[in-house]
Amino acid sequence: MKKLHIVSNRLPFSIDFNDNDPVLTPSVGGLATGMNSVYKDFNGSWIGWSGIASDTIEESKLKTIDTMLQKEGCVPVHLSATEIEEFYEGFCNNTIWPLFHYFAQYVDFHPEYWESYVAVNQIFADKILEIVEDDDYLWVHDYQLMLVPQMVKSKRPDITIGFFLHIPFPSYEIFRILPWRKQLLNGLLGADLIGFHTYDYERHFLSSVRRLFGYEIDFNEIHINERILLADAFPMGIDYKKFADETRRIHNTPVKDRSEIHLELEKYFLMDPERKLILSIDRLDYSKGIPNRLRAFERFLESNPEYLGKVTLIMLAVPSRNNVIHYQRLKRQVEELVGSINGLYGNINYTPVWYFYRSMPFQNLVELYSMCDVALITPVRDGMNLVAKEYVASRIHQNGVIILSEMAGVVKEMGEAIVINPNDEKEVEEAILQALEMEPEEQKTRMISIQERLQRYNVFKWARDFVDMLQRVNRMQKDFLAKKITPQLSNDIIARYKKTTNRAIFLDYDGTLMGFKNNPQEVQPDAELNQIIDDLTANPHNSITIISGRDKETLGRWFEGKNVNLICEHGVWLRRAKGEWQMLTNTSNSWMPMIRPILESYVDRTPGTFIEEKNYSLVWHFRRAEAELGELRAKELRNELTEMIANHNLEIMEGNKVIEVKTGGIDKGSAANNFLKNMTPDFIMAIGDDWTDEYLFSALPESAVTVKVGIKHTNAIYKVETVEAVRKFLRNIANA
Ligand code: ADQ
């Protein structure tokens, strides 16, 4: 890798003014920590916005800030106050954020916000294009910059691009609501690797890609023409050691030197050592489920009066997006709830909820983490939730209990927490009681398991893993390029071809000579293909064979009168040029009445699918079915058929959006060798696109020129990306 650059909406510094002089303060957030560990190692820059509107500050000051940032390896992107309002507060925070967190009722669909989103993404892309050098890597972060990957890729395909989404990717049913869903998705597909916190988000993303674009998806690989890209889950970690070390430091500090908040908490426990503290920390955001949490706590106090005076909820809310109406309402709602609980259950010596509406220095945060018995984390949606991880890292004595929402990404790594549905206030209430009464031994067992996991998969490992995977994708793509028929290779093959006089050329039909259509009967050869075949067969040194899984009637009709050989149904039938059909193997179709009803039941249950009956095989086509349902049914059908055919000489073949059942022992490889028996060719070539052609590639002698259409793994020696590329290659051969 040459250089790795980081791109995020905000640079990892905040800018303050000391007597009118700008001062940079490094961010201590998880992302900054994780990224610092990689981009400096790879000599890159960090591209982003400084946090200051460029038109609200004197030009000279802006320049000073830029210079200071550049010294830190940053490349500042300038955004005006209007851009920030429309792009950031508008589209990012009023459209994507609520939609991706399933708050469809809060979503604003303003076209001007969208336009500003496009324009600002372009500003970022332009800045990137200014600084990237050949073969650099980029790691783009989060929902503010979803169009950047495609904007960069379209101009600079040599740049390897990773994208990480820090928020959930919603289910297709939610995502489809967005008028600009296709543009957004297309923007992301410019990346080579797209990372999510959890497999669920990855699944939702792939499902949207499948449904909106119909691209071929093979596990987590997306195939777009000659590009392979990967989607994967990388659960973001924290700087575990930093939290654990800080806790140890605080524990070793003499009481008199401890912070004010620490002393306050000490006093609280002095009044009654049996007292318990529950901690709640979030940005004040509607996705965090703060009102539900307060209501559940209120219910708990109501149902368990013996805990009155003994349990306090410390609620820390970090001010966030307070110029957005929904956030202002939420703030009021939270304050009212806190007031009402404290009014109802508090007294001179007891305040049930300690509410802080502010940010806190790192040390105070850790003090709270390490002194609270229970962490109550109940978001209604949360991409990951790092607070839960920070709490765990600060529990150096392995005690403490976490109550965790099943809607937070982090729950996948914390099965040992008490997992709740945040909308079920009764369940949360009961969880609070369970947490407060949990035996220390059980607390320890649960905590140790989580700690071991989080210690291992910390933010550094997370960042490294992502970068390693990005390099792997790059290698996969290079692998393809290594086999790709370049103009030079094409010339070499043609030079070999020209020296020979007895040539056998095998060409698969669908996906090789013709693109796919929904109806397999609609794909008869077009004028261009007919011309190519005529030109190739006009040369008396060439024996051209179309070798296909298709039935003999269709291919026979399409190539009637042409000087080509046809091998059909994967090798059951052969018709030499101008000859009669002959059967290459003895086969029977007596099994068909047994298998046909099964396929029919799949047609009935899967709209858009149909059965094709060939002489010696039955094919279930699902190209026209709704993509995911088609894949799912194909899996079911394969399982069902596998059991059925166990004692019969039958085979199941999976082609491109088809499942075919046919008599065993017939394949394109044996058929080609059978065909070659009467020939002593000095040049053999085979071109095909799906795995049935792999039999052909493997069966032919090593000297054969074997060519795979597409980017998947193959036994062929060469690859070309598309049907168009095959045709161009064949035209060059015919004209040689
Ligand atoms: P956030 O929604 O901001 O992040 P979270 O992951 O919990 O949510 O991170 C909050 C961070 O802010 C934590 O590191 C925490 O220490 C800090 N913090 C919280 N309260 C604070 C306070 N009062 N004072 C100072 N610091 C405080 C988004 C997504 C998440 C995803 C992260 C990372 O919404 O789902 O986990 O990005 O990808």
Side-chain angles (χ1 to χ4, degrees):
M1 181 188 309
K2 285 185 70 185
K3 284 183 184 163
L4 170 70
H5 308 284
I6 306 302
V7 191
S8 64
N9 181 45
R10 286 293 302 271
L11 286 170
F13 289 94
S14 59
I15 299 178
D16 301 307
F17 290 90
N18 189 355
D19 268 349
N20 229 0
D21 289 332
V23 188
L24 300 191
T25 316
S27 315
V28 288
L31 181 65
T33 316
M35 290 306 100
N36 274 333
S37 70
V38 290
Y39 87 104
K40 290 194 176 140
D41 290 358
F42 290 104
N43 250 329
S45 318
W46 190 317
I47 301 149
W49 174 52
S50 67
I52 293 183
S54 53
D55 52 355
T56 58
I57 176 173
E58 293 154 40
E59 184 125 3
S60 61
K61 218 171 263 167
L62 192 65
K63 278 217 173 92
T64 315
I65 295 173
D66 281 1
T67 314
M68 292 167 82
L69 286 169
Q70 276 152 1
K71 279 198 191 124
E72 299 290 341
C74 295
V75 176
V77 170
H78 294 161
L79 299 180
S80 69
T82 316
E83 278 160 348
I84 293 153
E85 193 187 321
E86 295 187 350
F87 149 77
Y88 182 62
E89 288 161 12
F91 200 75
C92 294
N93 291 343
N94 273 313
T95 308
I96 306 185
W97 179 273
L99 189 74
F100 281 37
H101 286 87
Y102 293 71
F103 280 80
Q105 71 278 25
Y106 286 1
V107 178
D108 275 343
F109 296 109
H110 289 313
E112 43 307 357
Y113 287 176
W114 164 249
E115 280 152 28
S116 179
Y117 186 80
V118 178
V120 170
N121 271 250
Q122 192 62 59
I123 295 177
F124 273 83
D126 290 345
K127 188 54 93 181
I128 294 165
L129 290 166
E130 264 173 40
I131 67 146
V132 282
E133 292 166 14
D134 291 354
D135 303 316
D136 276 356
Y137 278 56
L138 277 187
W139 185 352
V140 183
H141 286 272
D142 226 0
Y143 65 103
Q144 300 89 354
L145 303 175
M146 290 163 87
L147 302 177
V148 166
Q150 193 63 270
M151 287 171 168
V152 174
K153 192 58 129 192
S154 59
K155 294 260 165 49
R156 291 292 301 269
D158 62 303
I159 305 295
T160 304
I161 307 174
F163 180 93
F164 191 85
L165 186 70
H166 289 262
I167 63 174
F169 194 97
S171 114
Y172 173 66
E173 288 304 324
I174 289 287
F175 184 65
R176 71 188 305 185
I177 295 174
L178 193 68
W180 308 279
R181 61 215 180 160
K182 273 198 161 179
Q183 290 95 314
L184 222 48
L185 213 52
N186 190 46
L188 285 177
L189 292 173
D192 301 286
L193 172 64
I194 303 167
F196 302 91
H197 283 305
T198 71
Y199 172 64
D200 282 345
Y201 309 152
E202 174 192 336
R203 202 161 52 77
H204 292 154
F205 166 75
L206 289 175
S207 150
S208 288
V209 171
R210 223 182 247 128
R211 288 162 190 240
L212 289 173
F213 290 113
Y215 290 140
E216 193 180 334
I217 295 173
D218 200 13
F219 295 101
N220 62 344
E221 286 178 19
I222 307 169
H223 296 208
I224 307 176
N225 299 327
E226 79 255 52
R227 283 182 66 220
I228 286 190
L229 44 135
L230 231 59
D232 215 336
F234 303 87
M236 185 175 173
I238 56 163
D239 185 350
Y240 190 98
K241 191 166 172 300
K242 185 174 150 198
F243 285 86
D245 286 352
E246 178 64 12
T247 314
R248 269 184 218 106
R249 193 194 63 74
I250 294 168
H251 278 245
N252 294 333
T253 306
V255 173
K256 65 176 181 25
D257 297 333
R258 291 184 186 174
S259 71
E260 204 178 316
I261 194 161
H262 201 116
L263 296 176
E264 279 301 313
L265 294 174
E266 295 279 344
K267 261 196 253 159
Y268 172 81
F269 286 118
L270 272 179
M271 287 173 79
D272 180 353
E274 292 292 291
R275 276 182 151 188
K276 302 270 189 186
L277 286 175
I278 300 177
L279 182 63
S280 143
I281 299 190
D282 330 71
R283 267 186 317 100
L284 191 65
D285 192 293
Y286 47 78
S287 65
K288 304 287 182 184
I290 301 171
N292 314 14
R293 193 176 312 167
L294 283 165
R295 281 194 295 268
F297 182 63
E298 181 174 14
R299 284 183 65 133
F300 166 79
L301 293 179
E302 192 185 346
S303 315
N304 302 280
E306 68 278 17
Y307 274 99
L308 284 174
K310 295 219 158 80
V311 177
T312 295
L313 171 66
I314 302 186
M315 177 163 273
L316 200 61
V318 187
S320 181
R321 306 175 194 172
N322 30 25
N323 41 0
V324 176
I325 183 85
H326 302 301
Y327 288 75
Q328 293 160 2
R329 281 198 199 123
L330 174 70
K331 179 167 180 282
R332 266 202 307 279
Q333 188 189 6
V334 167
E335 284 165 358
E336 275 167 26
L337 277 165
V338 170
S340 132
I341 298 171
N342 284 344
L344 208 57
Y345 296 101
N347 59 42
I348 302 273
N349 298 319
Y350 174 58
T351 310
V353 184
W354 289 353
Y355 175 67
F356 303 87
Y357 177 63
R358 66 175 103 123
S359 189
M360 283 219 178
F362 174 66
Q363 185 196 336
N364 291 159
L365 208 60
V366 177
E367 271 164 334
L368 287 174
Y369 284 142
S370 63
M371 291 191 78
C372 291
D373 307 273
V374 177
L376 184 56
I377 300 168
T378 62
V380 281
R381 283 291 158 184
D382 209 341
M384 170 54 73
N385 193 297
L386 298 179
V387 167
K389 294 190 171 182
E390 293 168 0
Y391 177 74
V392 169
S394 310
R395 307 303 300 177
I396 55 171
H397 298 305
Q398 277 119 19
N399 54 7
V401 184
I402 309 164
I403 300 172
L404 188 57
S405 161
E406 65 182 56
M407 312 291 178
V410 67
V411 78
K412 309 282 177 205
E413 297 165 86
M414 287 195 188
E416 296 83 354
I418 302 178
V419 178
I420 48 91
N421 173 348
N423 301 305
D424 186 344
E425 284 164 19
K426 183 158 187 296
E427 192 184 22
V428 181
E429 171 206 321
E430 286 164 4
I432 296 174
L433 184 64
Q434 186 192 347
L436 292 172
E437 297 191 342
M438 191 180 283
E439 292 298 328
E441 263 318 297
E442 186 178 348
Q443 292 184 24
K444 191 167 179 172
T445 319
R446 291 184 188 225
M447 193 54 87
I448 287 175
S449 314
I450 311 178
Q451 286 186 338
E452 280 173 358
R453 202 172 306 129
L454 297 192
Q455 221 159 346
R456 254 192 333 265
Y457 205 82
N458 58 28
V459 71
F460 307 108
K461 179 91 175 63
W462 168 78
R464 281 284 156 184
D465 259 21
F466 187 89
V467 174
D468 285 351
M469 187 59 90
L470 197 54
Q471 287 176 300
R472 234 176 82 192
V473 186
N474 182 271
R475 278 198 299 276
M476 273 165 68
Q477 292 175 345
K478 287 222 172 89
D479 221 34
F480 164 71
L481 291 176
K483 287 191 156 196
K484 186 174 161 177
I485 300 193
T486 56
Q488 177 59 43
L489 269 173
S490 171
N491 289 342
D492 294 350
I493 296 170
I494 290 171
R496 255 176 80 190
Y497 167 91
K498 276 165 59 176
K499 283 192 207 135
T500 55
T501 52
N502 191 15
R503 306 167 190 134
I505 298 178
F506 296 96
L507 303 172
D508 166 54
Y509 188 75
D510 295 275
T512 300
L513 297 177
M514 283 299 291
F516 289 101
K517 290 246 170 78
N518 279 343
N519 183 347
Q521 293 302 323
E522 270 175 19
V523 207
Q524 66 265 44
D526 52 33
E528 184 191 52
L529 177 57
N530 277 322
Q531 189 59 53
I532 292 173
I533 299 289
D534 288 345
D535 292 348
L536 283 171
T537 52
N539 186 328
H541 301 302
N542 289 347
S543 165
I544 307 292
T545 307
I546 309 283
I547 184 162
S548 163
R550 278 189 178 265
D551 63 280
K552 73 183 203 312
E553 285 72 23
T554 310
L555 274 193
R557 197 171 62 246
W558 286 350
F559 289 96
E560 196 60 55
K562 299 242 178 255
N563 200 15
V564 284
N565 315 299
L566 300 177
I567 293 179
C568 298
E569 298 196 26
H570 304 286
V572 177
W573 298 98
L574 163 69
R575 185 174 84 182
R576 287 189 188 272
K578 304 206 172 102
E580 293 298 316
W581 285 113
Q582 67 182 95
M583 226 173 166
L584 286 180
T585 48
N586 273 331
T587 185
S588 113
N589 56 10
S590 58
W591 51 271
M592 280 190 184
M594 169 183 84
I595 298 293
R596 195 175 172 101
I598 299 171
L599 299 191
E600 277 165 358
S601 80
Y602 278 79
V603 170
D604 294 343
R605 291 189 301 134
T606 323
T609 65
F610 61 94
I611 299 170
E612 181 189 6
E613 183 167 337
K614 301 184 192 172
N615 291 297
Y616 294 99
S617 68
L618 283 176
V619 194
W620 180 69
H621 287 260
F622 61 95
R623 178 169 303 277
R624 270 189 295 175
E626 197 274 300
E628 285 186 347
L629 182 64
E631 302 285 348
L632 181 75
R633 291 275 192 262
K635 265 193 210 126
E636 285 174 25
L637 175 59
R638 195 181 45 222
N639 288 344
E640 199 172 334
L641 287 172
T642 310
E643 277 176 29
M644 291 278 309
I645 64 170
N647 298 321
H648 301 79
N649 179 27
L650 293 177
E651 263 176 22
I652 303 168
M653 299 186 95
E654 279 176 80
N656 201 317
K657 309 275 183 207
V658 298
I659 288 197
E660 178 157 3
V661 189
K662 65 172 191 56
T663 310
I666 303 169
D667 63 68
K668 289 182 178 179
S670 331
N673 276 331
N674 207 332
F675 178 86
L676 290 171
K677 260 190 220 150
N678 307 324
M679 243 182 122
T680 42
D682 49 7
F683 179 88
I684 304 177
M685 181 164 85
I687 312 182
D689 75 305
D690 73 21
W691 71 271
T692 63
D693 299 302
E694 295 296 321
Y695 285 112
L696 183 59
F697 302 145
S698 318
L700 292 175
E702 267 179 30
S703 59
V705 175
T706 46
V707 185
K708 163 91 173 174
V709 188
I711 38 188
K712 286 196 185 157
H713 309 289
T714 181
N715 294 317
I717 303 172
Y718 304 111
K719 289 184 180 177
V720 293
E721 55 276 49
T722 55
V723 169
E724 288 68 41
V726 174
R727 290 184 173 199
K728 187 168 170 214
F729 177 58
L730 290 176
R731 266 200 310 272
N732 290 340
I733 285 192
N735 296 333

